[in-house]
Amino acid sequence: LGVAAISTVVATIYSNQMTAALSNAGISLPSAAQAELTDSVGAAVGVTTTLTQSGELTTGVAIQIQQLAIDSYMTSFHTAVLIGAAVVLIALIVMAWQMPKVSHTAPWQQATAESSD
């Protein structure tokens, strides 16, 4: 399982969680700002800081949005870790099931053992 696959899981879940969290909190922002907020935690902090400095957002709402971003990220990260762990567990089970029950001597090991006699 690659880093790209895990990252995709994190990004997708974060975006979905953040969109739902903003909606549930009743926070409505311009679509460009909302798109950036749901892109990444860093973008959420940057957008809220910019909107607060320009007076378009109160500090309290900015802090609430930043907390929603952190919570959404942690949920997405935990989910991705559980998915990765499940894949590793499945691979371990398949490997244990498919491994030969009897050890076989490789041809090169046989030749080495016979030449040392």
Side-chain angles (χ1 to χ4, degrees):
L1 196 60
V3 173
I6 295 291
S7 297
T8 300
V9 169
V10 170
T12 302
I13 294 173
Y14 170 79
S15 180
N16 293 338
Q17 287 284 325
M18 191 61 180
T19 300
L22 289 171
S23 177
N24 292 340
I27 298 172
S28 179
L29 297 167
S31 60
Q34 181 130 355
E36 285 187 54
L37 287 175
T38 60
D39 190 39
S40 71
V41 177
V45 171
V47 168
T48 54
T49 301
T50 301
L51 292 175
T52 302
Q53 289 173 347
S54 69
E56 298 176 59
L57 202 61
T58 65
T59 303
V61 173
I63 291 170
Q64 182 183 8
I65 291 171
Q66 291 172 1
Q67 189 59 52
L68 290 172
I70 292 167
D71 293 346
S72 296
Y73 174 76
M74 292 307 294
T75 298
S76 67
F77 188 76
H78 288 153
T79 303
V81 167
L82 290 174
I83 290 169
V87 168
V88 169
L89 181 61
I90 290 168
L92 178 66
I93 291 168
V94 168
M95 183 189 73
W97 175 55
Q98 290 295 318
M99 282 186 74
K101 304 296 184 236
V102 179
S103 176
H104 298 285
T105 305
W108 63 268
Q109 289 175 324
Q110 235 172 8
T112 305
E114 290 172 1
S115 66
S116 66
D117 289 336

